[in-house]
Amino acid sequence: MIPFRRDPDFVHRGSIIEDVLQRWTGPSQHHRVAFVGGGGVGGLPGCGNSEVDQLALVFDWLQTGESGSWLMVLDNADDYDMFYVRPDQHPSRPEGSPGFNKVLHDYIPQSCNGRVLVTTRHSSAGNLLSLETPMVEVKAMEIEEATQLLRNKLKALQLDEAEDVDLVKALDKIPLAITQAAAYMKELRIPSSEYLKLYQQNEKDQAALLLKNFPDIRRDSEVQNSVLLTHRISFQLVVQRDGKSQRTEKAGYLLGIVSILDRQEIPYKLLREGTSWNDRALEKALAVLSSFSLITETRGILDDNQSASLVVGGTPIRKSYSQHHLLQMATRMWLQSEGRLILFQETGLKLMRSTFPSGLDHNNWPTCQEYTPHVDAVLSYDVRGREAKLDRAHVLADCSIFYRETGRFYREMGRYVVASRQMKESAELRKAVLGETDPATLASMANLASIYRELGQYSNAETLIQALEMRKEVLGERHPDTLISMANLALTYSYLGQYSNAETLEIQVLEMRKEVLGERHPDTLISMNNLASTLVDLNQIRKAATLMECTVDLSTAVLGASHPRTIARIANLAGIRSKGTAATSGPEVAAGSSPR
């Protein structure tokens, strides 16, 4: 007997109910069905209790025809140890008591006159309890279903269809979250638009709204009605198993990592590189989170801007993971209550520092673009520790270089603006933590100066000169980073129309780069390109064409014909030959080093 009255606000989810009814019609045999899904997405109300006396008597009665047709609901059956581990291993009854040597699952009848319905967050538990019959996955509601539930709950309040749709979307269409929101709105008599405004202010306000535990007489008084607190049950089940296997210990760690990244499209390869686990260990940990419906996996064929996570049957596949907004927020709240949120936020910065590839190599751009949302996520946290600040400065510098390089190639000024903001913060952080003369600080200063120049802020040439002088003093005149600052200063002279000064400095840099780095080094090729552009400005066309021809040949051999800089240099050469101008990209810039 289910000890609660029928829910008058129930929304019929046709496909799920029809699926169950279809499975339960047919030959006269024992039927079981398991509903599996995350907490709060919708199940059957009920209460589970493993401490029932006279279990054997009830079992025997249900097994006979005397009981008639019956339905048993195992609600929230999330921990399969409760059903399959003997009491003497997990004592719940005194030794010698009835049923001491039996597991709880032995008391679930399998007679033809009965049916068993299981609701669970854990797919492994659902699979076992349903005797391995196909499970029914209960997902978030459709928009129409979620909106109807909200209207059923609000009843007399004035409703607006567009506002209601916006609200249920913001709540991820999760029934328990919608029910909470409706209870709050009825209590204060406010419309959907006002609740949504409160909800969208910040994550702290969202949590305050969703932590309210409104009473429901159709639910057990000991069961949480808050969607955030409900999710904690899943977290605790994962963590409680830490002592039982390394797999679940890794799963708990991985759950924390996922919660501090962007919640959508977390690439498999980012997790693999960031954790340094082998594929087998990572797959096992991900399987635990998936089995509790804590993450959702997506697989797809690659497009031109994506890189492979794995290869299946010879076909490269991109695999990524996502997490509901409410679930991610609940995870962070749980980590906060455990005193571990800051640790994971700092770990996120370290992870992105170790995995974000160099934006100087155009082959890395698709990966950089994939990782950028996760960089933005970890940069949104306020970190205080020295190492965390240095990690942040490094991530900022790496991301800034990617934006600068792609901004130059795609001619997008907005990318330069982002690059300047990020590199400025990187320089300030490094200066505060490491000091003004540290090589990493000087690298950020030099890169910032070059970005300012490309934005046309030539008055910031003083920054370049300052970085150049400090680099000469700290690193020496022939150090590659010093040469970068000298080359960038020469570019500034060129943009200011001081072509003679630019030529003198560029010749000096080119000769030193040939000696220090070699003629085929990418930075040496940049100096050759820039000197050729300056010679054009000085109307030395023949000399410029000869130098650019050599630059194109070396660039094709070293970088390849399809490299963006090779393509730009070929265009420059064509412009010099036809019009006497460096037609396409003109001068180039090299990034300063950014020590890890």
Side-chain angles (χ1 to χ4, degrees):
M1 181 179 70
I2 298 176
F4 305 108
R5 69 180 178 86
R6 184 182 296 272
D7 184 0
D9 300 325
F10 176 75
V11 174
H12 182 75
R13 302 181 71 177
S15 59
I16 295 176
I17 303 300
E18 289 166 8
D19 191 0
V20 174
L21 292 176
Q22 185 175 4
R23 296 181 190 209
W24 281 356
T25 56
S28 178
Q29 62 185 40
H30 180 69
H31 295 279
R32 293 191 185 184
V33 172
F35 285 169
V36 60
V41 298
L44 297 179
C47 55
N49 186 352
S50 62
E51 299 296 333
V52 179
D53 294 332
Q54 310 298 323
L55 287 178
L57 292 176
V58 175
F59 171 81
D60 291 340
W61 181 69
L62 291 176
Q63 282 283 82
T64 68
E66 298 176 5
S67 62
S69 299
W70 54 264
L71 169 66
M72 178 180 291
V73 179
L74 304 177
D75 196 25
N76 296 326
D78 302 320
D79 187 355
Y80 53 74
D81 284 354
M82 178 185 295
F83 293 91
Y84 290 95
V85 174
R86 288 169 44 180
D88 57 353
Q89 294 174 317
H90 281 280
S92 58
R93 289 184 292 277
E95 185 174 356
S97 63
F100 180 75
N101 293 321
K102 287 189 174 183
V103 297
L104 190 58
H105 183 263
D106 292 339
Y107 294 106
I108 302 175
Q110 300 186 33
S111 59
C112 295
N113 59 319
R115 291 171 171 78
V116 177
L117 182 65
V118 181
T119 74
T120 180
R121 298 172 175 85
H122 195 184
S123 59
S124 297
N127 188 50
L128 289 171
L129 290 170
S130 65
L131 303 181
E132 299 187 351
T133 58
M135 294 178 290
V136 177
E137 185 178 1
V138 182
K139 299 180 179 179
M141 287 179 150
E142 299 296 333
I143 285 290
E144 296 78 12
E145 295 170 337
T147 306
Q148 186 60 54
L149 176 61
L150 180 64
R151 290 171 180 170
N152 290 352
K153 292 294 182 183
L154 293 176
K155 293 184 176 66
L157 289 183
Q158 187 175 1
L159 303 175
D160 181 287
E161 183 175 356
E163 293 176 356
D164 294 345
V165 169
D166 289 341
L167 177 56
V168 298
K169 283 181 178 179
L171 296 172
D172 288 339
K173 300 171 291 182
I174 295 177
L176 186 54
I178 294 170
T179 300
Q180 276 186 268
Y184 186 89
M185 291 160 64
K186 283 198 295 185
E187 184 177 282
L188 298 185
R189 300 195 65 79
I190 60 174
S192 297
S193 58
E194 190 168 336
Y195 183 93
L196 186 59
K197 185 178 179 180
L198 292 171
Y199 180 78
Q200 291 180 330
Q201 286 180 357
N202 55 58
E203 186 168 293
K204 184 177 180 180
D205 289 336
Q206 290 178 14
L209 290 170
L210 294 176
L211 277 172
K212 289 185 175 293
N213 199 27
F214 290 96
D216 187 341
I217 62 172
R218 292 171 299 98
R219 291 170 65 91
D220 192 303
S221 60
E222 296 181 359
V223 175
Q224 291 287 353
N225 292 320
S226 160
V227 67
L228 297 188
L229 296 179
T230 298
H231 282 310
R232 288 196 183 187
I233 298 172
S234 298
F235 309 153
Q236 290 163 355
L237 284 170
V238 171
V239 173
Q240 284 168 3
R241 303 180 68 81
D242 280 359
K244 301 177 184 178
S245 75
Q246 189 179 31
R247 176 181 66 174
T248 49
E249 182 177 355
K250 288 180 180 292
Y253 174 81
L254 200 60
L255 177 62
I257 293 297
V258 169
S259 75
I260 51 86
L261 298 174
D262 187 84
R263 70 180 187 87
Q264 295 180 315
E265 298 291 325
I266 303 173
Y268 175 88
K269 62 188 178 70
L270 171 59
L271 298 175
R272 183 182 58 207
E273 294 167 2
T275 59
S276 299
W277 301 342
N278 60 40
D279 284 327
R280 181 177 175 81
L282 180 57
E283 290 281 4
K284 286 183 175 180
L286 289 167
V288 172
L289 299 185
S290 294
S291 72
F292 280 97
S293 304
L294 295 175
I295 57 174
T296 303
E297 179 185 293
T298 303
R299 294 191 181 199
I301 305 298
L302 302 180
D303 61 33
D304 294 337
N305 295 319
Q306 295 175 325
S307 51
S309 298
L310 70 163
V311 176
V312 178
T315 302
I317 297 294
R318 181 179 183 274
K319 186 162 64 169
S320 63
Y321 298 87
S322 300
Q323 191 175 55
H324 277 299
H325 165 66
L326 294 182
L327 184 52
Q328 190 179 57
M329 181 168 61
T331 307
R332 288 197 288 260
M333 286 181 55
W334 169 63
L335 292 173
Q336 179 74 52
S337 69
E338 298 278 323
R340 297 190 294 160
L341 181 58
I342 293 176
L343 173 64
F344 273 98
Q345 290 174 343
E346 293 177 347
T347 300
L349 280 168
K350 199 170 293 293
L351 182 148
M352 295 314 305
R353 172 175 178 165
S354 66
T355 59
F356 196 86
S358 170
L360 292 173
D361 185 348
H362 78 288
N363 293 309
N364 291 333
W365 289 357
T367 300
C368 290
Q369 192 63 50
E370 274 188 277
Y371 288 8
T372 295
H374 307 293
V375 167
D376 292 341
V378 300
L379 289 178
S380 69
Y381 305 124
D382 181 23
V383 294
R384 304 295 177 85
R386 181 180 186 276
E387 289 303 314
K389 287 181 177 180
L390 291 178
D391 288 337
R392 179 182 179 86
H394 198 104
V395 172
L396 284 163
D398 282 352
C399 200
S400 173
I401 289 171
F402 164 65
Y403 276 117
R404 186 193 64 187
E405 294 296 301
T406 52
R408 180 186 299 116
F409 184 75
Y410 294 114
R411 305 281 179 162
E412 293 182 8
M413 190 57 64
R415 288 178 175 263
Y416 279 113
V417 174
V418 175
S420 67
R421 184 179 68 247
Q422 291 179 330
M423 194 62 76
K424 181 180 180 182
E425 184 183 348
S426 175
E428 290 171 348
L429 278 170
R430 283 172 165 170
K431 183 177 179 180
V433 177
L434 300 173
E436 191 173 41
T437 59
D438 187 271
T441 305
L442 296 177
S444 289
M445 290 174 61
N447 280 322
L448 177 61
S450 71
I451 294 169
Y452 281 152
R453 185 194 61 249
E454 295 191 50
L455 283 170
Q457 300 176 15
Y458 305 124
S459 60
N460 286 309
E462 293 182 5
T463 308
L464 264 175
I465 297 171
Q466 181 185 9
L468 172 59
E469 293 305 318
M470 285 194 289
R471 277 185 159 177
K472 282 183 178 178
E473 182 180 343
V474 175
L475 303 175
E477 187 177 45
R478 295 168 64 84
H479 191 280
D481 286 354
T482 303
L483 297 180
I484 287 174
S485 290
M486 293 172 66
N488 288 341
L489 180 57
L491 285 177
T492 301
Y493 287 147
S494 180
Y495 281 118
L496 291 172
Q498 301 175 21
Y499 301 124
S500 296
N501 290 338
E503 180 191 21
T504 301
L505 195 51
E506 282 167 351
I507 291 173
Q508 183 182 356
V509 172
L510 176 57
E511 293 305 316
M512 284 196 285
R513 277 179 166 167
K514 284 181 178 179
E515 293 176 15
V516 176
L517 304 174
E519 188 178 46
R520 296 168 65 89
H521 191 278
D523 285 1
T524 305
L525 299 182
I526 289 174
S527 285
M528 294 171 67
N529 176 86
N530 292 352
L531 178 56
S533 295
T534 300
L535 291 173
V536 170
D537 293 327
L538 291 169
N539 206 31
Q540 301 179 33
I541 306 301
R542 183 174 297 178
K543 191 174 180 181
T546 301
L547 182 57
M548 188 60 77
E549 286 172 359
C550 182
T551 305
V552 168
D553 290 343
L554 284 172
S555 185
T556 303
V558 174
L559 302 178
S562 63
H563 192 282
R565 286 194 164 171
T566 302
I567 294 171
R569 289 161 185 168
I570 292 173
N572 282 345
L573 177 58
I576 292 171
R577 285 171 171 170
S578 64
K579 301 178 183 178
T581 62
T584 301
S585 62
E588 299 171 354
V589 63
S593 65
S594 189
R596 291 190 184 275

